[in-house]
Amino acid sequence: MRQVFYYWLFAWIVVIAPIAQKAHSASLAQQPFPELSRLVKEGFLPNYHVVVVDSEGQLTTQAESYEGGVVSVDAIKTTSTVALLSLSKPITNLLALRLVTLGYLALDEPVSKYLPKFEDPRMQSTDQASSDALRAISIRDLLIHTAGFAQNAELLGWGEVANTYAEQAIFGFDCLNHDAQETLAQITDRLAGLPLASEPGKKFAYSVATDVLGRVLEVAAGESFDVLLRKHISIPLAMPGLTARITGKRLADIAQLYQPLIKTYPVPGAYQRYEPFTGIDGNFSGDDLEEVCISPGSGLFASMNDMVVFIEFLRNDLVLKNGEPFLSESLGEQVFEHALDASFGNRPLRRSLAYAGKDGISIASLAIRPKNGLGLALENEHDFYYWSGFSGSGIWIDRSNNTAGVLLTQLYPSDQFLIPKLVGKVRASLK
Amino acid sequence: MRNLTLGALLLLIQAPSNAYEFASVDPAKMGFDPETLTTIQANFDELYQEGRIPNYVMGVYSGGKNIYLAKNGNVSIDGGQAVDENTIFWLASMTKPIVSTAILRLQEEGKLGLDDKLSKYFPEYADMLVAPGGSYTATLEPAKTEITLRHLITHTSGLTYQTSVSGVGDVAEQYDEFGVMGCLRPNPDRPIASLAEEARFLAELPLISHPGESWNYSVSIDLLGAIIEQVTRKRLADYLDEIIFTPLEMTSTTFNITPELSSRTADVYSTASPAQLSSLDYDSDIPWKLVEAGWNFKNTTPACDSGGGGLFGSISDYAAYLTMIANGGEFNGKRILNSVSMNEHLRDQTTQLGREAFRRGFGEDASSYMKFSAGFGRKLDVDPDTDEETVDYYFWGGAANTSFWVDTENDTVGVFATQLTPSLYNKNNEIEQIVDEAIRK
């Protein structure tokens, strides 16, 4: 308990308070994102909280939740514990890059060096390709989703392998709820026994690779993922609320997740098109969580305060508060570079992440929006960097005006992809 | 010559024959500001360009004339005919007001009465049980009173709907399981023999509230369809043809999409889930977020005529029906209802329940403005000081995102159609206000 208090104190003194208190010369209009307000008022979005920062501190914050509805909606406060879902991925990837910088592992090593059960990966089908030896899955593959894994169908994966993951509880809702009485090591071992959805190195396929990465880090560094996350991210970056495990103490602060309510209403006006999401019920099982599943790829939790720190860190080129670079120079550059070579085509993410159809991806799990909209293989200039979770939450870094932002919402799955609109609005306001 | 003949034939196929054609007029001549009306289109173009609706047609009518028409897209997102006022859309729940009109016509002719008991037509409904709130965890109660036709036409019968509409509790889940009143898409394990048989089957399931005590959107209007068939000894489609569609020249309105109508009938879509989005690969400049709803109405004959949601039709046809309503029961020299029936059709039939009755089904916004007549929602303007209610317009909508309003005060009618189910975008309020503003200018 005392330790948690000190994390908070440290975070407040060193990071949050200065951001909050800085006087600001640039200006954004009051409530600059009317499209977010409209989505809440019309009942498409239960709530949101958005914060935009620049080099002088916090530019604006805007938060709303539907009030007085049939479905009670929790406000997302700055300290609320929010399920990051896929926003977990950039954090876990940066943890991996830090450990690479510290020499615990290397990007082009085979995963099997740390997890021998992945030594002989095989495909789902029994066609010719499956009988050939597949190339080894590398650590880099895990960072950029080219390992050949699928995403669990419960978490919006699709295809036969995704369905198998759902049936066999491979990093699905059970894991995110801490209901599965299996460790990260045990689930990763079971995953090694299942076929791949695609050949390693051949295709970008959004997947549970980041979860496997979490297990690789445990073996490479010899410590649990929780400890590594705390030691290398939470403490040095001052993100005290960042965690892979929800204990009883945090339950009260968890922001409710909602899911779309699929119903027909023949009447005009606003109505709440969502209901409480039951897949991740927040019914976590207390303090003794050492033996339950965690998901480094989809199961991290953090607060808005934490995520503001995180985007500040990204915006500042990953320099720690003490001035020390977080990553080696080479890795630091790659955080903002497209990581897939020309063999993946001009629109490599298209078939896996529809909203990111024209975008590239870096080893930090940051999507790269090309400037002229034609895709990245044309050596396009970068427009902005972002990542977005299936709950509608997202982060972005816009180097054109040195801003960064966090949007937290809690609708899963959300069909609203709001980050580009918010980036555009900030740019227009700052002109 | 051969090409000319083929062209003429195509024209013949595409244009509905003998349909009532609204003359398009300069809105300024009818007292509407054209510039204000042109702002309507942006409301739908944004949704269309974002790939959230597959197409749309929006028509505004006044004095029997078309004063505004906006449209975009094709019958399919893969192509096909461009949509227009004659494109056929699944009207779904916009069937209900028409069937309600037919019931009032039969009452006018003395063939039935709104205060008749349902058991007069289907004795199986004489002793209904109630599962309060639709829940099977509580003890079932005998219904305090019998269901009347007035309960049915006002959705106060205690019946409910499938969960995907706004059905309530375990009872609604049983509706799902059995595919109750699934005339368009029957449950393959429980074929529907006839509307009458389906009405009798429904009596086996409990009500979710005592008749008259609460408002629950429901299959009640399907039961009214079954009563119409029993009273008239005609299929519902034939009776509606006789008393409404033929007199009003609604030649594109039907329960059955025949092969001849297929090419001008719009496909039905659903919003793609994020996972489905990843697998979409449309060859289009529009970033479609839609998948086919899997409802192939074009090659199937309905098992029965669903009075609650079985009609297909064009916005032009529907505007003819609504203009009749706006005109007090008569249009183009054809009287459908007399003034007494029209009063019954439009007056508040839910005075005993109040606006709060609509909160559970349609949310708090609806509970601030809504009441119900015999077949129409009543959009109210409520004086915040006195709570006095005045009718702004009458309205309803359909499960595939069709909607309409009728403003009897300023004689305007608006009809909107796209084909997205479940319906997500009902812009009646916004558009009706734009039209009101166009009059004021």
Side-chain angles (χ1 to χ4, degrees):
Chain A
M1 185 64 198
R2 183 176 292 175
Q3 204 176 12
V4 172
F5 172 75
Y6 285 133
Y7 288 159
W8 272 109
L9 191 63
F10 175 78
W12 180 256
I13 293 169
V14 176
V15 182
I16 300 169
I19 290 171
Q21 290 170 4
K22 275 179 186 172
H24 210 282
S25 54
S27 66
L28 274 177
Q30 282 286 315
Q31 302 289 98
F33 306 115
E35 53 277 87
L36 291 173
S37 293
R38 182 174 60 80
L39 288 170
V40 169
K41 285 188 177 70
E42 292 183 358
F44 285 98
L45 202 60
N47 52 18
Y48 71 86
H49 191 152
V50 59
V51 171
V52 183
V53 299
D54 74 356
S55 57
E56 294 179 48
Q58 192 164 305
L59 263 174
T60 190
T61 182
Q62 184 177 318
E64 274 175 283
S65 50
Y66 197 103
E67 290 179 3
V70 175
V71 178
S72 169
V73 176
D74 291 344
I76 301 174
K77 295 172 282 188
T78 52
T79 55
S80 298
T81 298
V82 174
L84 296 179
L85 298 174
S86 290
L87 275 186
S88 305
K89 290 179 173 65
I91 296 172
T92 295
N93 276 26
L94 278 184
L95 171 61
L97 295 175
R98 174 66 174 171
L99 295 180
V100 170
T101 297
L102 295 177
Y104 287 103
L105 70 170
L107 289 186
D108 294 313
E109 289 175 333
V111 168
S112 58
K113 176 179 175 185
Y114 303 98
L115 306 176
K117 289 190 175 175
F118 285 95
E119 191 155 14
D120 184 21
R122 63 188 173 86
M123 294 287 296
Q124 170 78 5
S125 64
T126 54
D127 60 18
Q128 184 61 38
S130 67
S131 62
D132 297 338
L134 301 176
R135 93 139 161 75
I137 301 169
S138 68
I139 307 295
R140 189 187 298 274
D141 286 328
L142 299 180
L143 290 163
I144 55 177
H145 296 286
T146 54
F149 299 121
Q151 176 78 343
N152 187 308
E154 288 178 349
L155 288 159
L156 306 177
W158 54 282
E160 203 174 330
V161 175
N163 294 337
T164 303
Y165 289 4
E167 285 160 14
Q168 301 202 17
I170 302 290
F171 299 115
F173 290 155
D174 272 5
C175 185
L176 268 57
N177 269 329
H178 302 337
D179 287 344
Q181 297 295 309
E182 254 185 323
T183 62
L184 180 57
Q186 288 166 328
I187 295 192
T188 308
D189 275 356
R190 283 202 297 117
L191 172 64
L194 298 175
L196 295 174
S198 56
E199 291 186 41
K202 291 284 173 68
K203 182 181 167 187
F204 174 90
Y206 192 70
S207 71
V208 297
T210 320
D211 297 303
V212 178
L213 178 65
R215 175 59 190 151
V216 168
L217 301 183
E218 288 189 332
V219 176
E223 292 183 284
S224 75
F225 182 79
D226 310 63
V227 171
L228 293 171
L229 188 69
R230 195 157 57 238
K231 207 161 145 181
H232 297 287
I233 303 281
S234 305
I235 293 175
L237 269 64
M239 296 171 64
L242 175 67
T243 181
R245 294 181 197 273
I246 289 293
T247 65
K249 299 182 190 71
R250 297 284 296 278
L251 283 176
D253 294 328
I254 286 187
Q256 170 73 50
L257 266 171
Y258 302 85
Q259 63 190 0
L261 183 60
I262 310 298
K263 283 192 173 184
T264 281
Y265 293 86
V267 304
Y271 44 83
Q272 292 171 291
R273 295 159 166 93
Y274 47 79
E275 61 189 351
F277 180 60
T278 51
I280 304 170
D281 56 15
N283 185 21
F284 302 104
S285 39
D287 291 336
D288 185 17
L289 291 166
E290 293 305 312
E291 297 304 314
V292 301
C293 179
I294 58 166
S295 168
S298 304
L300 303 190
F301 296 81
S303 67
M304 174 55 93
N305 282 341
D306 296 319
M307 294 309 291
V308 168
V309 170
F310 188 65
I311 56 162
E312 271 289 324
F313 175 65
L314 291 174
R315 198 190 57 76
N316 282 326
D317 292 329
L318 296 90
V319 176
L320 292 167
K321 285 290 169 186
N322 62 10
E324 181 194 332
F326 185 70
L327 301 179
S328 68
E329 191 177 343
S330 159
L331 288 177
E333 286 171 2
Q334 290 180 62
V335 165
F336 297 101
E337 284 175 4
H338 182 45
L340 300 172
D341 65 36
S343 69
F344 287 86
N346 195 29
R347 298 176 65 186
L349 277 56
R350 181 185 182 200
R351 298 307 303 268
S352 194
L353 295 171
Y355 285 110
K358 296 174 181 173
D359 301 341
I361 189 164
S362 81
I363 56 172
S365 193
L366 287 177
I368 303 167
R369 176 59 51 103
K371 208 163 223 170
N372 65 19
L374 291 177
L376 282 169
L378 298 173
E379 296 181 354
N380 212 326
E381 281 185 71
H382 299 173
D383 195 10
F384 60 90
Y385 307 89
Y386 74 95
W387 195 246
S388 188
F390 278 135
S391 66
S393 296
I395 57 173
W396 75 87
I397 300 101
D398 183 355
R399 286 183 160 167
S400 73
N401 53 21
N402 205 18
T403 61
V406 184
L407 168 68
L408 296 180
T409 70
Q410 289 288 271
L411 182 66
Y412 173 87
S414 169
D415 73 340
Q416 304 289 341
F417 180 52
L418 296 160
I419 300 299
K421 289 180 182 173
L422 303 187
V423 170
K425 185 67 74 171
V426 172
R427 285 180 180 177
S429 298
L430 292 179
K431 263 183 184 171
Chain B
M1 180 62 191
R2 189 175 170 187
N3 282 347
L4 194 65
T5 312
L6 187 64
L9 186 66
L10 279 173
L11 271 178
L12 203 63
I13 291 170
Q14 286 170 10
S17 57
N18 304 317
Y20 181 81
E21 282 186 41
F22 283 91
S24 293
V25 295
D26 177 357
K29 289 181 179 166
M30 303 286 289
F32 295 84
D33 176 48
E35 279 187 29
T36 304
L37 289 178
T38 57
T39 63
I40 290 174
Q41 183 150 10
N43 280 271
F44 305 113
D45 272 346
E46 184 184 353
L47 292 171
Y48 177 72
Q49 295 298 343
E50 286 186 357
R52 295 184 183 278
I53 55 174
N55 47 39
Y56 72 85
V57 189
M58 171 82 224
V60 181
Y61 304 81
S62 183
K65 305 280 195 297
N66 176 218
I67 60 166
Y68 181 78
L69 186 73
K71 58 191 178 181
N72 216 334
N74 303 82
V75 292
S76 162
I77 61 178
D78 291 327
Q81 292 186 15
V83 295
D84 62 19
E85 66 274 30
N86 293 314
T87 298
I88 297 175
F89 295 92
W90 177 38
L91 298 174
S93 289
M94 280 168 54
T95 309
K96 291 180 171 76
I98 292 176
V99 172
S100 301
T101 299
I103 284 287
L104 290 162
R105 170 71 168 253
L106 288 170
Q107 176 171 259
E108 192 176 303
E109 293 172 352
K111 292 176 181 164
L112 52 73
L114 285 189
D115 295 315
D116 289 349
K117 289 175 179 170
L118 172 57
S119 61
K120 176 179 174 183
Y121 305 94
F122 292 102
E124 294 83 354
Y125 286 87
D127 298 303
M128 292 298 287
L129 290 171
V130 178
S135 169
Y136 286 163
T137 55
T139 311
L140 297 185
E141 301 168 4
K144 292 176 192 169
T145 180
E146 280 206 41
I147 298 170
T148 65
L149 272 52
R150 191 180 301 280
H151 291 141
L152 292 176
I153 205 168
T154 57
H155 293 288
T156 57
S157 60
L159 291 161
T160 185
Y161 238 134
Q162 283 83 358
T163 54
S164 62
V165 185
S166 58
V168 176
D170 301 324
V171 176
E173 286 180 16
Q174 276 208 296
Y175 279 43
D176 291 346
E177 184 186 341
F178 293 122
V180 171
M181 289 295 177
C183 297
L184 285 170
R185 292 200 305 167
N187 179 342
D189 299 329
R190 197 183 66 80
I192 295 176
S194 68
L195 199 50
E197 280 304 308
E198 193 63 3
R200 291 187 189 100
F201 175 81
L202 182 59
E204 302 286 324
L205 302 178
L207 304 174
I208 65 164
S209 67
H210 293 278
E213 290 193 354
S214 65
W215 198 93
N216 296 291
Y217 197 42
S218 71
V219 294
S220 290
I221 313 304
D222 290 275
L223 278 183
L224 288 178
I227 290 169
I228 289 171
E229 291 198 344
Q230 188 180 125
V231 169
T232 63
R233 298 180 183 277
K234 291 174 183 162
R235 192 153 168 158
L236 179 62
D238 295 335
Y239 183 67
L240 295 182
D241 252 337
E242 180 185 317
I243 65 149
I244 299 174
F245 304 154
T246 299
L248 297 180
E249 300 171 32
M250 297 166 63
T251 58
S252 296
T253 306
T254 178
F255 283 98
N256 187 11
I257 298 297
T258 58
E260 295 75 41
L261 298 176
S262 201
S263 63
R264 64 182 176 99
T265 301
D267 291 337
V268 185
Y269 293 88
S270 294
T271 301
S273 68
Q276 285 173 318
L277 265 182
S278 304
S279 63
L280 296 182
D281 196 13
Y282 295 118
D283 183 21
S284 171
D285 291 336
I286 294 176
W288 296 113
K289 298 170 178 66
L290 305 168
V291 290
E292 284 187 21
W295 296 6
N296 189 355
F297 297 128
K298 294 182 180 176
N299 294 312
T300 54
T301 303
C304 47
D305 298 341
S306 166
L311 278 178
F312 299 80
S314 65
I315 71 151
S316 183
D317 271 12
Y318 211 86
Y321 165 71
L322 294 175
T323 303
M324 177 275 291
I325 296 292
N327 282 350
E330 180 268 341
F331 178 50
N332 198 26
K334 307 285 168 44
R335 178 156 288 283
I336 309 300
L337 290 178
N338 67 24
S339 60
V340 174
S341 298
M342 278 306 301
N343 180 54
E344 192 74 356
H345 213 351
L346 298 181
R347 77 176 174 86
D348 180 10
Q349 300 265 3
T350 53
T351 47
Q352 77 283 11
L353 297 176
R355 301 190 298 274
E356 195 59 27
F358 300 94
R359 178 185 293 271
R360 184 176 66 179
F362 299 143
E364 62 290 346
D365 204 14
S367 73
S368 72
Y369 70 72
M370 184 174 166
K371 281 197 171 174
F372 203 74
S373 73
F376 295 94
R378 290 162 58 91
K379 162 69 173 60
L380 305 169
D381 285 332
V382 182
D383 187 310
D385 298 324
T386 64
D387 207 39
E388 186 187 352
E389 298 171 346
T390 50
V391 176
D392 185 4
Y393 58 81
Y394 303 91
F395 70 94
W396 210 242
N401 217 137
T402 56
S403 58
F404 72 83
W405 89 79
V406 188
D407 188 335
T408 54
E409 279 297 304
N410 63 21
D411 186 24
T412 60
V413 161
V415 192
F416 172 78
T418 182
Q419 291 285 261
L420 176 72
T421 188
S423 159
L424 277 177
Y425 309 104
N426 187 322
K427 292 186 175 279
N428 257 0
N429 269 339
E430 291 94 323
I431 309 306
E432 198 270 347
Q433 280 170 22
I434 290 173
V435 174
D436 278 354
E437 199 182 321
I439 296 172
R440 283 194 291 271
K441 280 190 175 174

